[in-house]
Each structure stands twice: as C-alpha cells, then as structure tokens.
C-alpha cells in the first residue's frame, strides 16, 4: 500500500531501546523523601522506564503543527474545523499519504476506510515505552498517555489491512491470556473514527513490575489514524479508571492495578525535548528536578489529572491572575491554554498571527524570539523556555528551510472545558502523579 511505501522511504532513524530496572526488590535507601511522601512501609517496587525514540517518527516536518492541533480536537471530541481539515488533507496529499487527485478525475486513496478526516498521529508521538504482555512475554512499544485510561494494542485480531508495520500482540501465543467474555471496548475520536475490540486479562510487565490480571484491550478495528502510525503498537492509559471504555465492566489502568505493589503510590514523568525521557514508578528521583516539588490537589471527577492554574507570566514580567482548570496529558503534544492567555502570550511575539484557516493556529516568523511562559500552579512557577514553544516549521520541512513557524502554545479547542498541559509544558517540568492522595507535583528541572 502507498502508506507503507511512503513511511518506509521517509523513516530516517534507527535507535535502540533500553529499560532500566532500578530496583526490583525491597528498597533500602530511604531518606527525606519518606517523610515527604509518607512512606511508612519498607519494601515495594520501584522502577524507571526509559522512553525509546519512535523509529518512524518523522521529525521536524511541515504540517506537524496542524496535525497536532487536529489530533487534540479529535482526542477530546471537538469537531475539526473544515478549514483545518483542508489544510491537513493538502499536507497528506503532498506526503503521499492520502490519494492523489491526479487531475484526470482519478482519485486514489490510501485510506482503507475512506476517512479523510482521520488525523495521522505519527507526527506526534516521538517516544514510546516498551511493555511486556503475556506468557512468554511479547514486547510492544506503547504510548504512555496520562490523558486516557485504556491499555489497548494491535493484536492477532486486528484485520491485516489495518496493520502497517506495528507489532501486534499474538493472543494465541500467550498461555496466560483469558478472554473476558461479554466485555468490549471502544474509543471514538472527534474525527468520527474509532478503535474497538475484545478484552483479555493477561500478565503485563512494565520495567519489572508485573500485574497478573491486567485488562488488555485487543483491537478488532483501529482508527485509520493509528494504522498510519507505524511504530506505535498501542496505548497505555494512565488517567483514572473512570474513563476506561470497557463495557459493561470498566477496567482499572496498569497504574491502578500496580499501585499497591509500588514503594510509593505514584509515578513521575520526565519528558525531554529532542531526547527520550523517562517515567519512574514508585519513587521520586531527586536528581531529576531542582528546587522543591509543589503539590496541588487533583480533581479526578472527570477521570483526568485535573488541576487549577492560577495564572501566568510572560518573559518574567508581573504575574497575571487568570485561574483556569487544566489537565496534565502526556498524550497531547501541545500546550493548549484559554484563548485569552494564548492571545496575551503571542502579543509579545512580533509578527505572530492566529492563522486558524491557513495553519490551524498561532504561527510566527521563525526568526522571532519567543519569550518564556511561566504557568503559576499553587505557589509554583513552572517556566517553559521560549525556545520550547517554537514547535514546528510550517512552510518547509526543517526550521532552517521555513520562514513561518508553528506555536507550541495554542488556544484550547472550542468546546473543551479545560486547558490541556501537553508535552510542550511537560518537557520543561518534572511532574509527580500521586495516586495515593490524588495530587500532582510540579518542579522545575535541568533543561
Ligand atoms: C477527486 O477529489 C477532489 C478533491 O478531493 C474532488 O473535488 C473530486 O470531485 C474528486 N474526483 C472524483 C472523480 O472523484
Ligand atoms: C486511475 O487509476 C487506475 C488504478 O490506479 C489506473 O489503472 C488508471 O490508469 C488511472 N486512470 C487515469 C486516467 O489516470
Ligand atoms: C470500524 O471503525 C469504523 C470507523 O472508525 C467503522 O465505520 C466500522 O464500522 C468499524 N467496524 C467495526 C467492525 O466495528
Ligand atoms: C471537579 O471538576 C468537576 C468537573 O470537571 C466540577 O464539576 C467540580 O465542581 C470540580 N470539583 C471541585 C471540588 O472543584
């Protein structure tokens, strides 16, 4: 198929992957963190899991900005504006990922389900994490997503024409896989596509912590947007079980199942700019942040890691009060803020325009210097350096080729009721997801 060929031709990277088991047994060294996190028992698991680069990630490419916007709309069920759809179709056509209109009335299409609206996700996910499923273990590379709560994978049940390079979980080869009769899952996206299928219980290990009866959701149908993401074998959701899509019986996430085995009931995200980051489960690594961690309450009633940001400052100037609800979402690329905050930020960037029709959001001259954005969260000032906010070239395939660049800060999609603090924000912060007392902790870190 056209998609496969194109993907192979542009795949530019080859990396190796590694997972460090920091400690699989009783944790011996304990200090001030014990008090901080009220760890009273000795023992319990801790592990560090390194992300691995997505081999088929397309790098800094034209169109990434528009794609990232559309994907967030889609994930949160907002309709993608027609203008933006046209922009994306144009880019896909240029990349050969959508059929060509060859001008002779002969439109071919690489889309097996005829959904031009589906938004490819491959532009988005730079890094994945290895996860072992079944007995003997099969390793799949999954996208750790704190903005959803399903663990779903490409599998031996996924129709061959929907698999394009992904490693699939071979259910028959796992002696411990058990079908959960009568249960199914389905995730619908705002672009009208969906992924769905059967549910199994099986052993799942991440970095040495094993959950024996984890719900593993097997895809009998994947949205074309995932088919077009050749290296991502599935998702591992790390939000709250309340938004797990298995019916009639909702299932717990891997973290929820593993939490009682962890030395401390938390995980931390340390995403990095332009290099793989890591997640730690069960402990806080003092070397990964600077200063103190500020903890704020999480409102999990919507199933997300939802918190309140009190306001912001731009370029270190006076703090502006602008309270808003936000979620911490590793599965979203950009930092989506309330419209008025995005407007205020870009009023400090010469030549910036909100080009909703042409690009899908805020763009600016690549030569512009971007000010730092500081999010105020409780007593914490979370600083996002300006150069983290230059997300992608718009009119060229590299920053050097392009004159117009796409902003990493954008306005929240219309009807979404919270800001989404995605990777642009998370790459600049060390974040603790504390499941023991439902808190989020934020700290600055060496960048
Ligand atoms: C081909 O696609 C274009 C744009 O998507 C559409 O306007 C045109 O009607 C199509 N032609 C045929 C023959 O399907
Ligand atoms: C249209 O596409 C078909 C199949 O790809 C091809 O055989 C045919 O020659 C094309 N027709 C024109 C007019 O390009
Ligand atoms: C698969 O999903 C597509 C939309 O994403 C839908 O049109 C189709 O009916 C689904 N097929 C099954 C078997 O669920
Ligand atoms: C938590 O969030 C929900 C909806 O997101 C809201 O209705 C509720 O008032 C919030 N609770 C608190 C304590 O802020």
């Amino acid at each position: 198929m056209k998609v496969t060929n194109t993907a192979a031709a542009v795949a530019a990277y080859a990396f190796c992957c590694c997972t460090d088991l920091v400690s699989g047994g009783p944790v011996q060294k304990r200090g001030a963190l014990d008090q901080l996190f009220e760890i009273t028992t000795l023992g319990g698991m801790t592990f560090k899991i390194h992300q691995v680069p997505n081999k088929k990630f397309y790098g800094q490419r034209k169109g990434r900005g528009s794609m990232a916007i559309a994907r967030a709309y889609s994930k949160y069920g907002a309709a993608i504006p027609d203008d933006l759809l046209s922009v994306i179709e144009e880019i896909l056509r240029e990349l050969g990922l959508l059929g060509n209109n060859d001008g002779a009335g002969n439109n071919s299409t690489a889309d097996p389900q005829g959904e031009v609206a589906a938004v490819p996700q491959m532009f988005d996910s730079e890094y994945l994490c290895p996860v072992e499923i079944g007995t003997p273990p099969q390793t799949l590379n999954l996208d750790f997503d704190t903005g959803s709560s399903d663990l779903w994978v490409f599998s031996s049940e996924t129709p061959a024409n929907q698999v394009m390079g992904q490693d699939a979980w071979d259910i028959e080869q796992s002696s411990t896989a058990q079908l959960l009769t009568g249960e199914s899952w389905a995730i619908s996206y705002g672009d009208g596509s969906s992924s769905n299928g059967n549910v199994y219980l099986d052993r799942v290990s991440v970095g040495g912590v094993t959950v024996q009866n984890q719900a593993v959701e097997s895809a009998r149908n994947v949205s074309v947007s995932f088919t077009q993401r050749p290296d991502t074998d599935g998702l591992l959701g790390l939000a709250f079980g309340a938004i797990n899509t298995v019916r009639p019986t909702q299932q717990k996430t891997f973290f929820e199942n593993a939490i009682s085995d962890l030395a401390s009931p938390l995980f931390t995200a340390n995403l990095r700019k332009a290099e793989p980051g890591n997640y730690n489960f069960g402990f806080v690594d003092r070397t990964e942040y600077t200063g103190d961690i500020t903890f704020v309450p999480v409102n999990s009633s919507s199933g997300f890691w939802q918190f309140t940001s009190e306001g912001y400052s731009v370029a270190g100037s006076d703090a502006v009060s602008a309270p808003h609800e936000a979620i911490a979402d590793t599965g979203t690329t950009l930092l989506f803020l309330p419209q008025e905050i995005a407007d205020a930020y870009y009023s400090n960037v010469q030549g910036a325009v909100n080009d909703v029709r042409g690009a899908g959001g805020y763009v600016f001259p690549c030569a512009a210097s971007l000010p730092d954005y500081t999010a105020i969260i409780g007593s914490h000032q979370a600083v996002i350096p300006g150069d983290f906010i230059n997300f992608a070239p718009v009119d060229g395939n590299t920053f050097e080729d392009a004159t117009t660049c796409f902003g990493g800060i954008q306005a929240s999609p219309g009807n979404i009721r919270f800001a989404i603090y995605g990777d642009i924000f998370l790459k600049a912060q060390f974040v603790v997801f504390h499941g023991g007392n439902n808190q989020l902790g934020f700290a600055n870190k060496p960048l």
Side-chain angles (χ1 to χ4, degrees), residues 145-287:
D145 180 10
T146 61
S148 68
S149 301
D150 287 57
L151 193 176
W152 74 261
V153 296
F154 280 77
S155 76
S156 44
E157 295 179 335
T158 314
N161 68 352
Q162 297 184 14
V163 185
M164 295 195 185
Q166 293 86 359
D167 284 331
W169 177 45
D170 191 340
I171 302 166
E172 294 73 23
Q173 294 305 309
S174 174
S175 62
T176 42
Q178 285 176 267
L179 178 68
L180 266 187
T181 312
E183 303 288 340
S184 63
W185 66 282
I187 302 175
S188 303
Y189 301 94
D191 60 12
S193 68
S194 75
S195 301
N196 55 61
N198 290 329
V199 184
Y200 293 81
L201 295 182
D202 206 347
R203 296 171 60 131
V204 172
S205 299
V206 181
V209 164
T210 300
V211 170
Q212 296 296 343
N213 287 303
Q214 173 65 44
V216 179
E217 304 170 30
S218 151
R220 296 187 67 175
N221 193 16
V222 294
S223 157
V224 66
S225 57
F226 281 97
T227 293
Q228 291 179 343
R229 197 176 164 184
D231 223 33
T232 303
D233 307 328
L235 254 61
L236 188 144
L238 290 167
F240 294 86
I243 52 171
N244 174 269
T245 74
V246 176
R247 297 291 183 276
T249 317
Q250 281 185 308
Q251 302 293 314
K252 289 183 179 169
T253 68
F254 174 81
F255 175 58
E256 288 170 334
N257 283 323
I259 198 164
S260 57
D261 291 334
L262 297 175
S264 192
L266 56 83
F267 64 93
T268 67
N270 181 12
L271 308 187
R272 312 288 307 177
K273 184 172 193 272
E275 60 178 331
N278 64 277
Y279 291 88
N280 300 335
F281 284 78
F283 74 112
V284 173
D285 184 344
R286 187 66 187 93
T287 66

Side-chain angles (χ1 to χ4, degrees), residues 23 25 34 49 68 77 80 102 109 172 177-178 197 218 221 245 250-251 272 286 376 380 395 424 431:
S23 147
D34 291 357
I49 179 124
I80 300 173
D102 57 14
T109 179
E172 294 73 23
Q178 285 176 267
S218 151
N221 193 16
T245 74
Q250 281 185 308
Q251 302 293 314
R272 312 288 307 177
R286 187 66 187 93
I376 299 167
H380 178 57
D395 52 354
I424 292 285
V431 183

